[in-house]
């Protein structure tokens, strides 16, 4: 079973994750780094090129984008404390959600795959996980309406 | 080609978990962006993408996720090139349903049996393999209803592949699963499941 699940998309916790566990099946979170947003590498809408579909994603536009940066700030604070990088924190938090979760962070760069896989060895403290659990919720829908209507059926 | 059933002996560099019957490194690699799905950023670097997959394998990643629609096709082609000769090391997940192979309008969802058959052929060819470990239905196709919503494409279309003499056993698709499936899972909870959970047309 594969769907979007990350620090800023926690919808599966309501129904899907409990169902998956009840049925004893695995869970593959996609976009575990929030389409790159949780890496802290995208700091301004100008960082996104015009041919990039994120440009019109509700979470990446206008005031939503600015407000969602607070989430990145909070993740970065935990990263600094844990001597890790923001994507490693986002992945370690996902892995801490259970032994039945296998995220698939996407990248096309060697350096990023090295960074991402190192999250396997990162153990967050209870207090850090607690802080991450209480992040400011994301502002904006996951996708534009047309795409959303097709996703969870 | 490599058999998915051959015993694998390896020391795990990374923690592993089970997705249903599939043993995977708990951190996998998504290959969507290699085809420039967010942005090509002024051009794609296929060599770096392949180096990235090789580095992932070297670091203990055994789960690679792609889809025919990524590119389209380019992501699968890169994965195929990268895992050539190393097929048994990885669990390959790919997806069908967002491209119509039966002439529906571009952008129309298509999980008709004919479309799935063509999609499987294409994915196997691009991935350079004779089996897919994990085959997701990328989106539910409202025009292909199923009596069993937890397996929303007609199961015979996959089973036909299993029984086909064109393929040596084991089946070309080890596990098939609907991807967007709150409703499917709800249904499955309330439906007796008499089918196996490994190496057949089953569900993760």
């Amino acid at each position: 079973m594969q769907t979007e699940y990350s620090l800023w998309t926690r919808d599966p916790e309501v129904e899907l994750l409990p169902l998956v566990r009840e049925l004893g099946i695995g869970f593959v979170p996609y976009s575990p780094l929030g389409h790159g947003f949780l890496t802290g590498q995208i700091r301004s809408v100008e960082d996104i090129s015009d041919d990039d579909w994120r440009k019109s994603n509700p979470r990446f536009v206008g005031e939503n984008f600015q407000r969602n940066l607070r989430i990145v700030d909070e993740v970065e604070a935990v990263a600094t404390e844990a001597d890790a990088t923001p994507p490693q924190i986002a992945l370690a938090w996902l892995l801490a959600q259970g032994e039945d979760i296998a995220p698939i962070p996407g990248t096309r760069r060697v350096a990023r795959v090295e960074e991402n896989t190192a999250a396997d060895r990162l153990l967050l403290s209870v207090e850090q996980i607690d802080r991450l659990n209480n992040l400011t919720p994301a502002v904006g829908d996951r996708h534009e309406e047309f795409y959303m209507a097709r996703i969870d059926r | 080609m490599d058999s998915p059933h051959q015993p694998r002996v390896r020391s795990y560099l990374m923690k592993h978990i089970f997705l249903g019957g599939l043993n995977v490194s708990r951190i996998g690699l998504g290959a969507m962006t290699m085809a420039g799905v967010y942005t090509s950023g002024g051009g794609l670097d296929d060599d770096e993408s392949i180096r990235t997959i090789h580095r992932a394998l070297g670091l203990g990643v055994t789960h690679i996720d792609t889809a025919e629609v990524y590119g389209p096709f380019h992501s699968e082609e890169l994965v195929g090139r990268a895992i050539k000769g190393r097929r048994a090391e990885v669990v390959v997940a790919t997806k069908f349903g967002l491209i119509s192979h039966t002439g529906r309008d571009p952008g129309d969802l298509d999980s008709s049996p004919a479309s799935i058959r063509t999609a499987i052929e294409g994915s196997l060819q691009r991935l350079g393999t004779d089996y897919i470990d994990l085959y997701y239905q990328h989106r539910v196709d409202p025009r292909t209803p199923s009596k069993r919503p937890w397996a929303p494409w007609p199961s015979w279309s996959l089973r036909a592949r299993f029984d086909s003499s064109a393929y040596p056993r084991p089946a070309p698709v080890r596990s098939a699963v609907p991807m967007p499936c709150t409703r499917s899972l709800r249904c499955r909870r309330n439906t007796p499941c008499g089918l196996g959970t490994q190496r057949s047309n089953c569900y993760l």
Side-chain angles (χ1 to χ4, degrees):
Chain A
M1 156 52 215
Q2 179 178 141
T3 194
E4 184 173 351
Y5 184 34
S6 70
L7 277 172
W8 80 345
T9 300
R10 298 183 57 182
D11 323 38
E13 293 174 1
V14 179
E15 183 177 11
L16 270 181
L17 207 46
L19 255 176
V20 158
R21 287 181 171 148
E22 182 186 326
L23 295 166
I25 55 188
F27 188 90
V28 177
Y30 72 76
S31 298
L33 307 179
H35 305 297
F37 193 82
L38 297 170
T39 66
Q41 297 295 310
I42 304 172
R43 273 280 166 192
S44 134
V45 287
E46 280 76 50
D47 292 339
I48 306 170
S49 63
D50 288 340
D51 69 348
D52 190 323
W53 66 256
R54 289 172 293 190
K55 199 87 176 178
S56 58
N57 180 285
R59 291 186 177 178
F60 285 84
V61 294
E63 192 186 336
N64 288 355
F65 184 95
Q66 295 307 323
R67 289 169 66 184
N68 286 330
L69 281 177
R70 282 186 304 198
I71 300 171
V72 178
D73 292 340
E74 293 168 51
V75 174
E76 286 187 337
V78 176
T80 303
E81 184 189 296
D83 198 19
T85 66
Q88 289 170 343
I89 296 295
L91 290 169
W93 175 85
L94 266 178
L95 296 175
Q97 305 309 305
E99 300 270 307
D100 48 2
I101 290 178
I104 44 168
T107 182
R108 55 189 189 211
R109 298 186 213 292
V110 170
R112 292 302 181 206
V113 88
E114 290 170 347
E115 181 179 1
N116 292 341
T117 50
D120 178 57
R121 299 185 295 277
L122 178 62
L123 202 58
L124 299 173
S125 70
V126 174
E127 189 264 337
Q128 287 163 342
I129 289 173
D130 208 41
R131 279 167 67 189
L132 295 166
N133 281 336
N134 291 300
L135 286 179
T136 312
V139 184
D141 293 333
R142 278 172 53 199
H143 289 287
E144 293 164 83
E145 202 174 327
F146 170 78
Y147 297 109
M148 269 318 288
R150 291 173 155 215
I151 287 179
D152 199 6
R153 308 179 65 120
Chain B
M1 290 199 200
D2 298 310
S3 160
H5 296 318
Q6 73 188 38
R8 303 175 192 187
V9 180
R10 68 162 78 94
S11 58
Y12 292 151
L13 297 169
M14 193 187 296
K15 288 193 189 109
H16 277 229
I17 67 156
F18 278 94
L19 297 173
L22 295 174
N23 181 327
V24 295
S25 61
R26 63 178 186 162
I27 296 178
L29 175 64
M32 180 183 84
T33 61
M34 295 175 186
V37 172
Y38 290 129
T39 174
S40 64
L44 295 174
D45 186 342
D46 290 349
D47 291 339
E48 174 71 0
S49 292
I50 287 170
R51 279 195 296 273
T52 300
I53 295 172
H54 287 163
R55 185 70 180 127
L57 297 179
L59 289 165
V61 169
T62 69
H63 176 202
I64 299 179
D65 185 273
T66 181
E68 64 169 357
V69 77
Y70 300 156
F73 313 128
H74 190 57
S75 173
E76 284 187 333
E77 286 163 0
L78 289 171
V79 172
R81 282 169 60 190
I83 65 172
K84 193 173 165 60
R86 307 179 69 171
R87 179 64 183 91
E89 293 177 43
V90 276
V91 166
V92 176
T94 191
K95 316 184 189 83
F96 67 90
L98 274 170
I99 294 177
S100 173
H101 298 286
T102 63
R104 294 186 188 176
D105 290 338
D108 276 9
L109 306 174
D110 194 343
S111 290
S112 65
S115 195
I116 295 174
R117 273 194 293 271
T118 306
I120 291 177
E121 294 297 339
S123 290
L124 290 174
Q125 190 261 328
R126 287 184 292 277
L127 291 164
T129 184
D130 56 4
Y131 66 98
I132 294 164
D133 295 285
L134 176 50
Y135 202 34
Y136 292 103
Q137 184 190 35
H138 215 149
R139 298 283 184 277
V140 170
D141 168 16
R143 291 163 65 183
T144 311
S146 170
K147 291 176 184 165
R148 298 184 300 163
W150 35 266
W153 58 92
S155 58
W156 63 261
S157 66
L158 292 178
R159 199 175 298 123
R161 309 307 307 177
F162 301 162
D163 296 338
S164 164
S165 58
Y167 284 102
R169 289 178 184 280
V173 175
R174 293 175 69 190
S175 304
V177 59
M179 188 161 150
C181 59
T182 310
R183 194 176 60 187
S184 312
L185 286 178
R186 267 190 220 128
C187 241
R188 181 174 161 195
R189 180 170 57 180
N190 299 321
T191 308
C193 180
L195 297 171
T197 55
Q198 271 197 56
R199 292 165 185 171
S200 62
N201 54 331
C202 64
Y203 331 95
L204 281 189

